[in-house]
Amino acid sequence: MLKTYTYPEYPYRPSAEQREGRTLRHPVVVIGAGPIGLSAGLDFARRGIPVVILDDNNTVSVGSRAVCYAKRPLEILDRLGCADPLVAKGISWKIGKVFVRDRLAYQFDLLPESDHKMPAMINLQQYYLEEAMIAAIGREKNADLRWKHKLIALKQHDDHATLTIETPDGHFTMEADWVVACDGANSDTRRMTGGDFVGQFFQDRFLIADVVMQADFPTERWFWFDPPFHPNQSVLLHKQSDNVWRIDFQLGWNADPNEEKKPEKVIPRIRAMLGPNVPFELEWVSVYQFACRRMQSFRSGRVLFAGDAAHQISPFGARGANTGFQDIDNLGWKLKLVLDKVAPEALLDSYDAERIFAADDNLLNSTRSTDFITPKSVMSRRFRDAVLELAETVEGIRPLVNSGRLSRPTPYLDSPLNTPDTAPFKGRMAPGTNCDDAPVTIAGKPGWLLNLLGEGFTVLTFDTRPPVAKLDAGPLSARVLTVGQDFADTRGLVAARYDGEIGTTYLIRPDQHVAARWRSFDAAKITAAMRRACAIPAAGRR
């Protein structure tokens, strides 16, 4: 029981399979109703895929758990229709500070430029996130969220999977064309398919203490190396909603997790940090060990893995849930095209390729952060301490300070779905990159560019007179969005961020990533790029 939150209980209801005593085939079944499973349900339903989401519990996550949600995942949640209440409830921030002992050594700004709809980061307890997503699921006619439904067996066939489900009313079977496993780091689905993790555990332990208090710390990320109140270790401080503060204390590998969670051990640590006269109450306490691991493949036949079921990433840098949301962002549109028989199953192999590339990028950054925070040798410790000392006075050294590189999207620059540039461009919007947002005016009303993207393929063009308003290419189509006609570039930032010379044309994937770009509108080239982005062989090839 928490002091600031009352857990909801969602009702168990027998399914049609149970009531009618027959096996039904579903296009997609999602295992797990945590943040990633819920985002999968929302994404699939909004793309017109009937989806069943199964969870063996009937409430939201216990404890605040994941709390930091980055700009790109917030943009994804905005596309899914549930970002606004999260941003309103959460604590927005963008400034991080790193202290060595009691001195400020380094400061960074996650979003130094303005004019983006979503903030750089919000801090929000995971149970609030899940509640908002469950409410959004309830508004989707294509989504069926079933509580107290536990997957206990899975058998794969050439064109579907058979699932055995345990409920309070007994067992039943159901079938799925595709199964998406979002059941966490201890995934039963992964075990059933024989999947395993590759990677490493780190020999250190950290204490999470969520503390209710009135405090005058700014809404920033504060990280200490060797602070006087916790010598020779590190500490992290974040503010959450409801005056709950997240404090992470490094404990060392020899710490006893059961002992360290006891209030008589936790309270003195917090008292040493805050001082003797600051009142506080413990909200939630946990001890964890770092892991940086992933599955060798995120696809096993008819089963696709996402989130912690596919990869475990150390929490410094907020790359766990944030990476999982981007897994689903990558998967949803591809699964839709495969189910509709518009694209071959080979398109799902690109999910594996693109998201393993992203997972490896996140694992590399998290491993480097962990090695800096917890040096593994005398020489590593000396290097780390030298960097910290020099960072106070030498600006060029400061980027080497690594208290957790905060989550940023990984561009798929080498994806086989990209069509390479044939002309020079400035800026970051290369093929494989997620689209930048910008303020626009739509029919006289203020809006945002990203809210115009994401329903399907979109051609974004700066051509003043494009030849068509919609591009049809057999089973594929793309809406044409013309700058200056369909919307006004309110502050010129669309042109600036997309290097939008007259005639410049982009093909945008349904996950708001750039597939291709040119300096003129050419329907044949756009059609070829769209086929390539769907893994459809070029004409005359098999």
Side-chain angles (χ1 to χ4, degrees), residues 325-353:
F325 287 125
Q326 293 168 82
D327 290 343
I328 299 304
D329 187 48
N330 187 284
L331 176 60
W333 67 277
K334 297 176 180 179
L335 200 54
K336 170 67 173 172
L337 291 174
V338 170
L339 283 166
D340 289 348
K341 302 188 184 307
V342 172
E345 284 188 19
L347 182 58
L348 296 178
D349 294 331
S350 74
Y351 166 72
D352 189 69

Side-chain angles (χ1 to χ4, degrees), residues 10 32 43 76 224 362 374 401 533 541:
Y10 298 103
D43 193 294
I76 294 167
W224 287 266
N362 282 294
T374 61
V401 176
R541 293 175 55 194

